[in-house]
Each structure stands twice: as structure tokens, then as C-alpha cells.
Amino acid sequence: MDTKYKQIIALLIRKTENGRAIWRETSAKQQFSTKLESGTILIEPAFDKAENATVFILSILNDTGDRVFSLTVSPLKEKGDFDLVSRLYDTIQRKHYKVDETLDSILDELKSDPSSALREDDIQNMSQAESEKVLYKSAPKTNK
Amino acid sequence: MNNANKVSIIIILIGILITAILIVNLDTYEQSFINIVSIIGSVASVFGLIVAIIQIASIKKISEITSQAVQETKAKLVDKLSIADISKAEKLAREIQMFLRDEKYESAYLRLTDLKSSLLQFQASVSIKDYLQPKKYNKLVEQIQIDIVNLSDLLRGVPKDVDFSQVNNHLEQLVTVLSQFENAVKFHI
């Protein structure tokens, strides 16, 4: 991939992380778009039957809506480029679905419960099977 | 008779009066034909100049008023043309909805590209900026542009899951905005 496009993607990742690039879902499933002053950027995953792998398609539309650039990155052919575009897509998803905010809220809610806070250190020292056992025990009983 | 003509006639009458006073007040030995002609000539040239300036200013004003009227008529004509274009765009949007419902994607794509051209023309129109909410309109145009790209991909055989109910929804919103615009333009003409 051309350095210019890599720069665009890197800057888009930064702008998305900062919340300065707003991505919207479009009429195509799993596709996101963001509007810039000079055009629109589209990104979507797609399944490539020939490669039997998921690829990412990045398109740039000019101010009149014509597609002026399209890039398809495959994990088998362009690993570095794929990772970069994949990182952009993950960042968009995390921001769009407010993944971090939701996780933080869940964590805060759990921490505010004194019974959970008491067991936190214990859980860290336990094996996964043991920690699951403790968590199931501490879970409130539901009324049926 | 306009004001400039009235003022010109008054000035001419004053000029004649002044000429008469000057001639009457001449001593008997000065009342030669040459002196009288030179008095008439001098007063006529001074007052003629004033009348000429007044007339030129009047013509300039008339020219400005005419030019303004031409511009206003032109703007009204452009707006009337826009109304016809808006109605056409609304019809196109309805046609596209029908094509999508009947799964005639090639026809829908062709009409969508026509619709896009009209929408971009409206975007550049001065009168539309006065009557439309540009932010809402621009967002709709952007969504329709993306819908065109997705439909184009679909026609090229790119595997894509396009939600046509959303495309229809964009078109429905567009028709609403366009009919609001059409009404606004009609009432302002």
C-alpha cells in the first residue's frame, strides 16, 4: 500500500480514537462511513471466497459521491496493511458501540458492590476454574 | 412626467427669466444684437449643463432600476425552474422506491444516478440554501451517494448485504425534505 494511504488510515485511527471522526452505519451490513470536508470514507469487512478469508474494503468517495479510490486488503497477501485497516475497523466498532464506556460502567458497577470488591484479589490468584466457582457462588439467586 | 423632467423645466424657466432680466437691465447703448445673443448663449450653456447633468443622473437611475428588475425576474425564473426540477426529483425518488420493491436494481441504479445529479444541482442553488436545512439535506445526499456505491457493488457481483428498507427510508426522508422545499419556494415567489 502507498505511504499516503497508510498515513490516511493512521490519521483516521487517531481521529476515531479521539472522537473527532464520527462513523455511521450505512445501508450495507457492517459498513461504516465518515464524512470529511473533502469526501466520504467507507470501510467494511467482506468474505473472499477465493481466499477463504475475511478481507477489508476501504473506499474513498469524492465530494460528488464518486468512488475515487478503493482498497481491498487480505490477511494472506498484505498482512501489514490488513492489520492496519483491521485496527481502524476495530477502533470504529469500539467507538460506535461504546465498548470501552460500557466495560468501564460494568467494572464500576461491580466494584461498587462490596461483596465483589472483597473477592477481587482472591479471584486474581485463583485458577480460571476456581474463579468461576467463586463467581457462581457469589451470584445472587434469582426468583423463579 | 418624472421628477428629473419637472426639475429640468423649472431650471429652463429660471434660465429664461434670468436671461430676460439681464437683457431688460442692459443700458440702451449695450442692447446690441451681439450682446443679447451672447447673454442668451451664456445662460443657455450654464443652465443647459445643469439640465444635462440632471437628465444623465435620471437615466442612470432608470438603468439601475431596470437592471434590478431584470435580476429579480431572472431569480424568479430560476426558482420556477427549480420547482420543476424538485418535482422531477421527487418523482425519481418514488420511481426508485418502486424499482427497489420490484427488485429491479439496474433501473433503480440508473434513476439513482439521475437523482444524485439533481440533488447536487440543488446543493449549488442559492435559493435552496435559503429554504432548506443544509445540514439535514447534505446528510441525506451523503447517504444516497453511499447507497449508490453499494448498489453499484451489488450489480458488479460484490457480495454485499444491503438493507433496502434503509435505502427506501433515505428516499422517503428525501421526498419529505424536497416537498417542504418545493412549498417554501412556491410561497416565496
Side-chain angles (χ1 to χ4, degrees):
Chain A
M1 200 196 317
D2 197 329
T3 321
K4 196 191 279 180
Y5 302 127
K6 281 184 183 174
Q7 268 186 333
I8 290 173
I9 296 165
L11 287 168
L12 276 172
I13 292 172
R14 198 183 298 168
K15 274 192 89 163
T16 309
E17 279 170 348
N18 296 340
R20 293 172 71 97
I22 309 296
W23 292 84
R24 292 194 192 96
E25 282 179 305
T26 70
S27 53
K29 202 177 173 185
Q30 293 185 304
Q31 186 185 58
F32 289 94
S33 77
T34 188
K35 173 93 178 132
L36 304 173
E37 273 180 37
S38 44
T40 305
I41 294 169
L42 296 174
I43 187 168
E44 65 197 301
F47 187 74
D48 189 329
K49 281 182 186 170
E51 291 190 9
N52 197 26
T54 300
V55 295
F56 279 104
I57 304 168
L58 188 90
S59 308
I60 298 177
L61 315 184
N62 64 11
D63 54 355
T64 55
D66 300 313
R67 184 160 33 200
V68 288
F69 172 76
S70 184
L71 172 81
T72 305
V73 282
S74 155
L76 306 175
K77 288 177 188 165
E78 309 97 354
K79 182 81 178 83
D81 296 343
F82 178 84
D83 288 344
L84 190 67
V85 181
S86 172
R87 205 182 129 203
L88 172 63
Y89 192 76
D90 286 344
T91 313
I92 293 164
Q93 277 196 315
R94 288 183 82 85
K95 277 283 169 189
H96 185 77
Y97 297 117
K98 296 181 179 172
V99 174
D100 292 333
E101 288 92 328
T102 310
L103 287 177
D104 288 344
S105 303
I106 290 170
L107 200 63
D108 288 344
E109 193 183 328
L110 290 172
K111 275 182 181 172
S112 66
D113 180 359
S115 60
S116 301
L118 279 171
R119 289 194 177 98
E120 198 175 19
D121 293 336
D122 299 334
I123 293 164
Q124 278 176 2
N125 297 326
M126 285 175 189
S127 66
Q128 196 183 342
E130 282 173 324
S131 60
E132 275 174 7
K133 203 176 167 185
V134 171
L135 283 170
Y136 282 127
K137 264 189 182 177
S138 63
K141 287 175 184 171
T142 52
N143 294 326
K144 287 183 181 175
Chain B
M1 192 186 288
N2 63 24
N3 285 342
N5 287 346
K6 283 177 192 169
V7 172
S8 300
I9 289 168
I10 291 166
I11 288 170
I12 289 165
L13 290 174
I14 292 168
I16 292 166
L17 192 71
I18 289 170
T19 312
I21 291 166
L22 287 172
I23 291 168
V24 169
N25 287 333
L26 281 177
D27 292 331
T28 318
Y29 67 90
E30 286 175 332
Q31 284 181 349
S32 64
F33 176 74
I34 291 169
N35 281 346
I36 290 167
V37 168
S38 65
I39 286 168
I40 291 168
S42 303
V43 173
S45 58
V46 170
F47 282 79
L49 186 67
I50 295 166
V51 169
I53 290 167
I54 289 167
Q55 288 298 324
I56 288 165
S58 166
I59 288 164
K60 195 185 167 195
K61 202 177 171 186
I62 288 167
S63 157
E64 279 171 3
I65 290 166
T66 311
S67 167
Q68 199 182 335
V70 168
Q71 288 300 323
E72 278 173 13
T73 313
K74 199 176 158 190
K76 280 183 182 178
L77 196 67
V78 168
D79 278 338
K80 275 182 183 159
L81 287 173
S82 297
I83 291 173
D85 291 341
I86 299 161
S87 304
K88 197 179 153 194
E90 282 176 54
K91 252 184 202 170
L92 270 177
R94 291 280 178 227
E95 269 181 17
I96 296 160
Q97 284 181 317
M98 297 249 293
F99 284 131
L100 291 176
R101 212 169 295 144
D102 297 342
E103 297 181 5
K104 292 177 178 171
Y105 299 128
E106 288 89 353
S107 306
Y109 174 76
L110 287 171
R111 294 288 188 280
L112 269 167
T113 51
D114 291 341
L115 179 66
K116 187 182 93 172
S117 305
S118 299
L119 297 179
L120 291 174
Q121 273 177 10
F122 297 159
Q123 233 169 7
S125 159
V126 179
S127 56
I128 275 186
K129 281 175 192 158
D130 296 336
Y131 305 129
L132 276 179
Q133 294 168 285
K135 212 174 168 182
K136 192 178 174 184
Y137 181 77
N138 291 346
K139 194 182 160 189
L140 270 171
V141 174
E142 185 204 337
Q143 282 171 333
I144 284 166
Q145 284 173 344
I146 294 169
D147 292 340
I148 293 172
V149 169
N150 285 331
L151 197 56
S152 155
D153 283 347
L154 208 66
L155 291 171
R156 284 192 299 123
V158 177
K160 201 168 248 195
D161 193 354
V162 180
D163 182 355
F164 287 109
S165 66
Q166 271 204 45
V167 180
N168 261 319
N169 186 29
H170 297 155
L171 291 165
E172 199 58 53
Q173 285 181 50
L174 182 76
V175 170
T176 310
V177 169
L178 289 177
S179 61
Q180 280 170 353
F181 170 57
E182 191 182 355
N183 288 333
V185 174
K186 270 182 192 169
F187 285 113
H188 278 82
I189 286 180

